[in-house]
Amino acid sequence: MTRLHVISAATRPTSSSRPLTHWVAEQAHARGGFEVTPVDLATIALPFLDEPEYASTGNYAHQHTRDWSALVDSADAFVFVLPMYNGGFTAPFKNAIDFLYREWQGKPVGIVSYSAGPTGGAPAAEMLLPVLTRIGMRPAERSVAVAGIPDLIGPNGFQAPEGLAEELAGVLDDVAALAVLRTHETVMA
Ligand SMILES: Cc1cc2nc3c(=O)[nH]c(=O)nc-3n(C[C@H](O)[C@H](O)[C@H](O)COP(=O)(O)O)c2cc1C
């Protein structure tokens, strides 16, 4: 069973990310093959990077870093639920990525971006890709971009537009396939 962490990459108290993350986690659970853990970046509440040593050393001075490290380390794969702010990804999420290094390495990741406008945050996902590659993650070939997010959040949470569940299923299939590949590579090493 692949341990999949679905990370809500937003910190605003009224963020649309929470209902969307809930829906993504539900879909992943229903698909099967994943042990799903939703992670809310707001509750992780990391400060700006305050570690004296580089993350690549794995020497962490602060308990908040050790906790974050343990949480990320316990995942085999991720889905990042990513808002777009001013055409890019959010500063708190980049900060959370930079806190760690080895914990991300080799792990598959699918991206579900979203925005108020018509792009669905695809430019933020594009911007994040080189960062993910730089830290040795394996991004899924497919991604999902959810446009017009404010209109999709109602009293019952996120209301997926037609076709979105199928698009997400493609991303989850990619992530699952990359996770299997990683397991084989680890066994062969
Ligand atoms: C600082 C900020 C910048 C934003 N910039 C954009 C933008 O460039 N394009 C867009 O379509 N929506 C933009 N939005 C709207 C967000 O995509 C939309 O409000 C989304 O719900 C924000 O995610 P959040 O609810 O998780 O904070 C912006 C919102 C914020 C708070």
Side-chain angles (χ1 to χ4, degrees):
M1 191 83 99
T2 299
R3 294 166 300 174
L4 181 78
H5 285 18
V6 181
I7 301 185
S8 159
T11 52
R12 286 196 318 125
T14 54
S15 171
S16 306
S17 184
R18 285 183 202 99
L20 179 54
T21 297
H22 182 76
W23 178 77
V24 170
E26 269 183 355
Q27 296 290 310
H29 180 71
R31 176 194 179 276
F34 294 120
E35 185 188 314
V36 182
T37 304
V39 176
D40 184 347
L41 199 62
T43 63
I44 303 295
L46 289 165
F48 276 137
L49 181 58
D50 59 352
E51 283 292 335
E53 295 199 38
Y54 286 169
S56 54
T57 66
N59 294 330
Y60 302 134
H62 300 295
Q63 189 58 42
H64 53 251
T65 314
R66 289 194 282 271
D67 292 344
W68 178 228
S69 167
L71 185 60
V72 172
D73 212 26
S74 68
D76 301 311
F78 302 89
V79 172
F80 294 160
V81 179
L82 186 74
M84 180 169 79
Y85 288 175
N86 298 317
F89 55 73
T90 66
F93 190 49
K94 179 63 163 59
N95 181 58
I97 290 173
D98 293 342
F99 257 98
L100 308 177
Y101 189 67
R102 179 194 51 78
E103 297 85 341
W104 301 115
Q105 284 199 319
K107 295 184 180 174
V109 54
I111 298 179
V112 175
S113 64
Y114 65 94
S115 71
T119 66
E126 282 295 315
M127 194 183 271
L128 188 63
L129 276 179
V131 176
L132 302 182
T133 307
R134 179 67 187 80
I135 55 173
M137 296 192 83
R138 300 174 186 200
E141 198 168 314
R142 290 174 275 191
S143 58
V144 171
V146 183
I149 188 81
D151 298 334
L152 303 175
I153 309 286
N156 298 320
F158 177 71
Q159 302 297 312
E162 210 179 314
L164 196 69
E166 290 73 16
E167 279 186 54
L168 177 62
V171 175
L172 294 172
D173 285 349
D174 285 355
V175 170
L178 288 167
V180 169
L181 192 67
R182 178 167 178 257
T183 307
H184 284 313
E185 284 173 2
T186 309
V187 170
M188 299 294 281

